[in-house]
Amino acid sequence: MHIAVTLLSYSLLLPLAAGVSTTITNSWDGGFEAEACVPVTQELNGWTLSLTFDEDVWWVEVWIGDATKISNREYTITSDMHQSPGDQICFDIVGQGDGDIRPTGTVTIVGGPSKAGSGSQKNYADALAKSILFYDTQRSGRLPADNPIPWRGDSNVDDCVPGGWHDAGDHVKFGLPLSSAATLLGWSLVQFKDGYEKAGQLDQMYDMIKWIYDYFLRAWNPGKQELCVQVGDGYKDHAYWGRPEDMNMDRPCKFVNETTPGADIVGGTAAALAAGSIGFRAKDSAYADRLLNAAMNLYSFAKGHRGVFSGGAPFYFSSGDADEMCEGAMWLYKATGDQSYLIDAKGFVDLGVAWGLGWDDKKIACQSLLYEATREDQYKQAVEGFFNSWFPGGGITYTPCGLAWRDKWGSNRFAGNSAFMALLAAEMGLQPSTYRKWAVEQINYLLGDNSHDGGCFSYEIGYGSKFPRNPHHRAASCPDRPAPCTDDQLYAWGSSPHVLNGALVGGPDENDKYKDERADYIQNEVAIDYNAGFHGALAGIVHLKAVGKMPVTNNKCPC
């Protein structure tokens, strides 16, 4: 980082708290490395640190903000990041001086308190906790004694493969969105585990995601080389409006095997399980081994039996399998370090600009994983090209209040997924300030920084005081037993009897217009893949707050 020389006197700035000392972590002839963590005692909307040394330091390099040289012993570091009381501003320093230099440094916050940006008003930890509850609500099968959703009970216990998650407001278990959602959720646990810890939700996250991993393990039969990729008939299921607990229709199973291709779903499932093996490694190594072994077997099978699964059409049908194969290879590379997987992924990757991240298209995920592993410029350019296309001026539509609006089907889903990818890219060192600010602003929009219903309207159900009351979700619309639940509930007036906590609805149109109507399965649909990236972004934002890297936001319609 270039150090500007200025005549600014930092002595004109008043310290907000006592200074802390830097700690030398490494030194050599002519240079040193140090670290520091400064506790925050006041709400800060941007800050300035004073960094002083007891001997001459010619220049310093930091990555948390902009460093300005006052003299050989005095520097300031400035940032527009928001901080709350209880946070810490932690950073590394690289400095240069004469000889085997090991200076003692003192860091003091000298930036004054100011009104917090819109991001400071969001309780991201609460939003994350509620998103976990949504996935618990989607559980199929025999529920555990500690089921946190009192209005849900055992359902479809006689499925050929019991367990798993219902797809959306319906009750089919589709392999493409299941594997896609599980991969993103697992990625968030691997990357932002501290976010779950800080939110007090780590145990809940492990419990929630293990439900789908267990289902995948049951769905894969290594002896038969067969994976169950769908349970339920989409047409019959969608014609039924009622509780999953009351279903008595046939629920046929569909399989991928040596005669029925489906490398898209099999490769995606391998990715999910490989990510899960990393996430569970420190918690339960034996379980992590089970996940990894299944992931390797699935990937090997998919590699030898390429092609997409057509049996999920017209509900879910993939446009190709190379992106899922790349994801599977990269997660196995991360889990094992085996170079053969990295070589495979390089063969599968498409370096074109991705349209968006969703259950069908994992292109940007593959590119990001490859950049993280290799730091090669071709992958960096692909990732940055994606965000350039998503940022203002890049061709995507923005609503008046600032939502990056990709499509009427799950507009919130695509924004949440891209926000998650932006936070991951920032962790890899790609334009951290820009990417983090944009990502948090997208999540802020979803949590209330919009104009609907006079503003402060959360598109995540149960968050805040204003949120959707009529999601397109059968179970939530049904009154308590023994009252019947029929098509009448689809069009019933008034709020759903049960609050579908944590569900992210489809979202507004390109003009910020939204109708809270249960029968509107475009704007008011909920789904496991709608929540996945949004969920991961929430964990990422809690992580940013925990490590003192929360950006200042500037939403167009702040709550």
Side-chain angles (χ1 to χ4, degrees):
M1 178 180 295
H2 174 70
I3 299 297
V5 179
T6 177
L7 297 178
L8 169 70
S9 173
Y10 81 93
S11 62
L12 296 177
L13 300 170
L14 300 177
L16 299 183
V20 300
S21 297
T22 60
T23 301
I24 296 291
T25 57
N26 190 21
S27 66
W28 56 91
D29 188 18
F32 69 94
E33 294 178 348
E35 62 185 12
C37 278
V38 189
V40 177
T41 60
Q42 302 187 44
E43 201 80 16
L44 298 175
N45 195 21
W47 43 258
T48 299
L49 302 180
S50 166
L51 173 59
T52 63
F53 295 104
D54 64 351
E55 55 184 299
D56 286 350
V57 176
W58 295 344
W59 59 260
V60 299
E61 186 172 8
V62 297
W63 290 268
I64 197 172
D66 296 321
T68 300
K69 184 175 181 178
I70 309 301
S71 70
N72 280 347
R73 298 194 179 193
E74 304 170 352
Y75 293 82
T76 60
I77 303 169
T78 59
S79 171
D80 63 358
M81 291 190 295
H82 171 259
Q83 307 289 345
S84 299
D87 291 344
Q88 291 195 94
I89 302 173
C90 297
F91 61 100
D92 296 318
I93 306 164
V94 176
Q96 183 176 352
D98 280 327
D100 187 11
I101 182 171
R102 295 178 61 87
T104 297
T106 302
V107 184
T108 307
I109 302 177
V110 292
S114 61
K115 183 178 179 181
S118 63
S120 68
Q121 302 174 21
K122 306 292 186 291
N123 189 337
Y124 304 104
D126 179 60
L128 180 61
K130 286 184 166 62
S131 184
I132 290 174
L133 290 177
F134 168 65
Y135 284 101
D136 288 340
T137 304
Q138 295 302 101
R139 284 174 168 174
S140 179
R142 200 171 301 281
L143 302 185
D146 61 353
N147 166 40
I149 313 299
W151 46 274
R152 280 299 327 281
D154 297 346
S155 64
N156 301 315
V157 296
D158 296 322
D159 281 353
C160 64
V161 182
W165 292 327
H166 299 140
D167 179 53
D170 59 354
H171 309 120
V172 185
K173 295 182 288 196
F174 289 108
L176 269 175
L178 280 172
S179 59
S180 175
T183 300
L184 291 183
L185 293 169
W187 198 345
S188 74
L189 180 58
V190 171
Q191 187 69 54
F192 298 124
K193 181 180 178 181
D194 64 330
Y196 290 100
E197 291 174 325
K198 186 73 172 180
Q201 294 297 311
L202 183 58
D203 288 343
Q204 291 86 338
M205 178 60 179
Y206 275 125
D207 181 67
M208 176 269 275
I209 202 166
K210 188 175 184 294
W211 191 265
I212 193 61
Y213 294 154
D214 286 348
Y215 173 77
F216 289 148
L217 291 174
R218 286 192 292 268
W220 170 238
N221 187 326
K224 288 186 175 181
Q225 293 285 280
E226 186 172 77
L227 178 69
C228 179
V229 296
Q230 183 173 323
V231 181
D233 182 314
Y235 292 104
K236 291 181 180 179
D237 186 284
H238 288 185
Y240 166 81
W241 195 275
R243 304 179 187 89
E245 293 83 357
D246 296 340
M247 294 185 76
N248 55 19
M249 67 178 66
D250 291 335
R251 286 173 60 82
C253 288
K254 297 184 180 182
F255 299 90
V256 166
N257 49 40
E258 293 180 347
T259 59
T260 303
D264 49 345
I265 304 179
V266 181
T269 305
L273 292 178
S277 75
I278 301 173
F280 268 88
R281 180 60 59 191
K283 179 177 177 61
D284 186 339
S285 61
Y287 185 68
D289 287 341
R290 288 183 63 200
L291 298 178
L292 182 57
N293 288 335
M296 290 189 293
N297 290 334
L298 283 160
Y299 178 81
S300 177
F301 173 77
K303 188 176 176 181
H305 300 81
R306 297 290 301 279
V308 300
F309 178 68
S310 61
F315 306 100
Y316 292 97
F317 182 74
S318 179
S319 57
D321 64 4
D323 52 341
E324 285 88 5
M325 292 300 297
C326 181
E327 260 199 325
M330 282 310 301
W331 278 107
L332 281 165
Y333 173 69
K334 285 171 68 73
T336 67
D338 186 334
Q339 290 287 323
S340 67
Y341 291 121
L342 180 60
I343 294 170
D344 281 357
K346 289 182 175 182
F348 290 128
V349 68
D350 178 346
L351 294 178
V353 175
W355 182 83
L357 176 61
W359 56 262
D360 178 31
D361 189 352
K362 320 307 186 353
K363 187 185 303 181
I364 181 60
C366 173
Q367 295 165 349
S368 298
L369 289 164
L370 275 163
Y371 175 68
E372 179 188 41
T374 69
R375 301 292 165 164
E376 292 179 9
D377 195 55
Q378 59 180 330
Y379 307 123
K380 176 183 178 181
Q381 291 178 2
V383 174
E384 290 183 334
F386 172 78
F387 290 111
N388 288 341
S389 75
W390 268 76
F391 288 173
I396 194 170
T397 298
Y398 274 76
T399 70
C401 282
L403 178 68
W405 193 92
R406 172 51 88 190
D407 190 70
K408 72 175 184 179
W409 294 97
S411 56
N412 288 344
R413 172 256 312 269
F414 286 114
N417 286 355
S418 291
F420 179 50
M421 294 308 301
L423 294 178
L424 292 170
E427 293 296 305
M428 300 173 198
L430 296 179
Q431 303 184 44
S433 298
T434 300
Y435 286 10
R436 286 170 178 152
K437 181 177 184 292
W438 181 84
V440 176
E441 287 175 349
Q442 291 302 302
I443 299 303
N444 285 349
Y445 178 101
L446 300 179
L447 292 179
D449 285 359
N450 55 66
S451 59
H452 182 69
D453 195 18
C456 298
F457 182 86
S458 167
Y459 285 101
E460 183 192 27
I461 298 173
Y463 179 87
S465 60
K466 292 194 287 187
F467 50 81
R469 304 286 176 166
N470 296 283
H472 189 79
H473 190 272
R474 290 157 176 78
S477 77
C478 293
D480 289 332
R481 286 169 164 175
C485 187
T486 67
D487 286 350
D488 290 343
Q489 272 61 53
L490 173 59
Y491 303 102
W493 181 86
S495 301
S496 293
H498 303 291
V499 177
L500 188 61
N501 277 316
L504 183 73
V505 299
D509 66 16
E510 63 269 35
N511 296 308
D512 289 317
K513 303 300 182 184
Y514 166 78
K515 290 184 178 180
D516 185 9
E517 294 180 357
R518 190 176 301 121
D520 186 338
Y521 52 81
I522 297 177
Q523 292 197 328
N524 243 20
E525 180 69 281
V526 297
I528 56 174
D529 74 297
Y530 279 21
N531 263 71
F534 165 74
H535 180 111
L538 291 171
I541 295 172
V542 179
H543 155 79
L544 292 181
K545 289 180 68 68
V547 300
K549 295 181 179 179
M550 187 68 179
V552 174
T553 55
N554 186 29
N555 284 78
K556 293 183 177 180
C557 302
C559 177

